[in-house]
Amino acid sequence: MSHPAHHWSTRPETSADTARIHAIVSAAFPTPAEADLVDALRADTDAWIEGLSIVTEDTDGTPVGHALFTRCHVDGAPALALAPCAVLPSHQRTGAGSAAIRAGLRAARDLGENLVLVLGHADYYPRFGFTPASGHGVRAPFEVPDEAMMALSLDPSRATPRGTIRYPDAFGV
């Protein structure tokens, strides 16, 4: 089933999207762990940031993609973790995930956030400006290939913290 290239519409999640987001994330990953992570982060008032859980809608308004940015810390300073990002298998490779990520990055910038961290595919995230976190002096709290742990400064004129990432408890690391 092919989808014509089009401009995806994105918006922050609402309470009505919770079950649909769980279904999207469950469908995109081999186990429900990531979907359960989203639910656990939503329940964590220290991690959850209103407006930074983004859904991509199909032309009929049905959510088909999701990207989540939550509060993490680097050496005690606030940063954002992008995780997970998920798209229904039927809509993957259509730009639905990229649209959610770009919308989330814009929303984060508008909120005055700066450092965004992602653990992911080194051939995917650089298109958004992510580079290896090691270049920012940032380390994951676990062993990970250098090219997979990436960082992005939304405002390059501002200094970013250096040190080890502390994820919300829901990540279990």
Side-chain angles (χ1 to χ4, degrees):
M1 184 167 150
S2 72
H3 293 269
H6 68 293
H7 179 74
W8 288 102
S9 63
T10 57
R11 59 173 175 78
E13 75 161 55
T14 68
S15 54
D17 297 317
T18 305
R20 179 71 183 174
I21 289 169
H22 191 92
I24 292 168
V25 181
S26 294
F29 288 95
T31 75
E34 282 83 2
D36 293 341
L37 171 62
V38 172
D39 293 336
L41 288 166
R42 193 181 285 111
D44 180 347
T45 54
D46 293 328
W48 191 259
I49 302 171
E50 204 60 47
L52 293 187
S53 175
I54 307 292
V55 295
T56 303
E57 296 180 324
D58 210 344
T59 47
D60 64 359
T62 306
V64 297
H66 177 246
L68 180 60
F69 298 77
T70 53
R71 171 69 64 227
C72 67
H73 291 83
V74 173
D75 197 27
L80 293 176
L82 164 53
C85 177
V87 176
L88 287 178
S90 59
H91 289 70
Q92 288 173 4
R93 307 201 188 295
T94 64
S98 293
I101 292 170
R102 290 186 203 285
L105 292 172
R106 282 193 303 273
R109 189 180 288 114
D110 291 346
L111 289 173
E113 296 289 340
N114 190 11
L115 186 64
V116 184
L117 302 158
V118 66
L119 175 60
H121 294 287
D123 55 352
Y124 182 73
Y125 290 96
R127 72 187 65 177
F128 308 104
F130 285 92
T131 57
S134 57
H136 292 257
V138 173
R139 293 177 305 282
F142 40 77
E143 281 302 308
V144 56
D146 185 62
E147 68 275 7
M149 190 74 240
M150 291 168 273
L152 170 65
S153 171
L154 296 173
D155 179 357
S157 72
R158 287 165 59 192
T160 52
R162 304 170 78 85
T164 303
I165 303 164
R166 183 167 56 79
Y167 288 98
D169 292 342
F171 281 90
V173 296

